[in-house]
Amino acid sequence: RVDLNAKFAFPFVCIIMCLLATGITVGIKKGRTLSICITYGIGIIFLYWILYSFCLSLGYGGILPPIIAAWMANLIFLCLGVLTILNAE
């Protein structure tokens, strides 16, 4: 059941990461270069993958329900993306 829910949840990563990247690029201040923004992006993707894998493993172990295990990382990063857009200058 976890894998079934994960197959529906994972395609939304593209939309969520685009939202998050938009918030980061809109909030670029003078002095930040493109390389720093790329580093932020790689770090965010890495953190997402760790959280996504951790949540799925909790779902496999029966600690979290399958639907929550598959969608939790998406919801956390969606909230983070909305916050970055709202706090952009």
Side-chain angles (χ1 to χ4, degrees), residues 32-86:
R32 282 195 188 168
T33 61
L34 182 63
S35 61
I36 292 175
C37 291
I38 290 172
T39 306
Y40 284 162
I42 292 171
I44 288 170
I45 295 291
F46 184 68
L47 289 175
Y48 174 82
W49 191 256
I50 290 173
L51 182 64
Y52 182 72
S53 299
F54 179 70
C55 291
L56 287 182
S57 66
L58 290 178
Y60 292 140
I63 297 171
L64 288 177
I67 195 162
I68 293 175
W71 287 92
M72 184 179 290
N74 285 353
L75 292 175
I76 290 171
F77 276 83
L78 179 67
C79 293
L80 184 64
V82 169
L83 283 175
T84 57
I85 287 180
L86 291 177

